[in-house]
Amino acid sequence: GLVFRSSPEKPEWRHLWTVVLDAARQIEAEGEWSFEPYFDVKPDNPGVDWLRLCHNVKDRHLAGLFFGVRPSSRLTALENLPIPKVALAEMPIKGLSVMTIDQDDFLRKALSWILEKGCRRIGLITVPGHAMRYQKRFEAILAGCGVRTERRWIQLGEQELPEWTANIAEMMFHGNAKD
């Protein structure tokens, strides 16, 4: 089971989850495995997929669970199930294996690509939950590359309101070309 707190048509859907679904479909095409996605799984607001997940877990229809984000405390009650469980999270979770994304490596690779394109004045639009950590990492990695940034080029965009991020990007690029 692939457990997500949102669904692809909603603004809070993460591109990473699309990558996970695409990878699952590729594995399914090989014929040995099948993956059942569960969308909008929020125990505080049960929906159809939450109820379906509970039913499939109770009836032992699943060989394992993948959580696209750190599961809520109600979902971690599944820790007693004798099946593999893994979550994308930054901290350990009792009863689950945890996968983390190496944010520093991501930033280094992204900046390397940007620098190869000739950019030398680089900004960042980050999201809640990562803001200060990203800013410090971003500034340190840029300084290590000898590239400048300015605090006004580091902004916060709300994932649930992506239309506002366009305004932030426009503001960041407004003004003289040299800026």
Side-chain angles (χ1 to χ4, degrees), residues 108-145:
R108 277 191 290 278
K109 287 178 180 175
L111 289 169
S112 174
W113 184 87
I114 291 168
L115 292 169
E116 285 174 14
K117 303 296 180 210
C119 299
R120 293 295 174 258
R121 292 178 306 273
I122 301 171
L124 172 72
I125 300 174
T126 187
V127 295
H130 294 284
M132 290 312 293
R133 286 180 303 195
Y134 256 34
Q135 180 176 337
K136 302 287 185 218
R137 290 171 173 162
F138 177 75
E139 289 173 339
I141 292 168
L142 277 180
C145 296

Side-chain angles (χ1 to χ4, degrees), residues 138-160:
F138 177 75
E139 289 173 339
I141 292 168
L142 277 180
C145 296
V147 176
R148 79 178 185 97
T149 191
E150 295 184 22
R151 291 214 174 242
R152 64 187 168 126
W153 297 347
I154 302 172
Q155 297 291 327
L156 180 77
E158 181 65 50
Q159 291 164 304
E160 282 73 27

Side-chain angles (χ1 to χ4, degrees), residues 27 29 31 46 51 57 68 82 90 102 107 121 123 142 148 152 166 169:
I27 293 169
L51 298 173
V57 164
E90 292 187 21
D102 186 334
L107 280 174
R121 292 178 306 273
L142 277 180
R148 79 178 185 97
R152 64 187 168 126

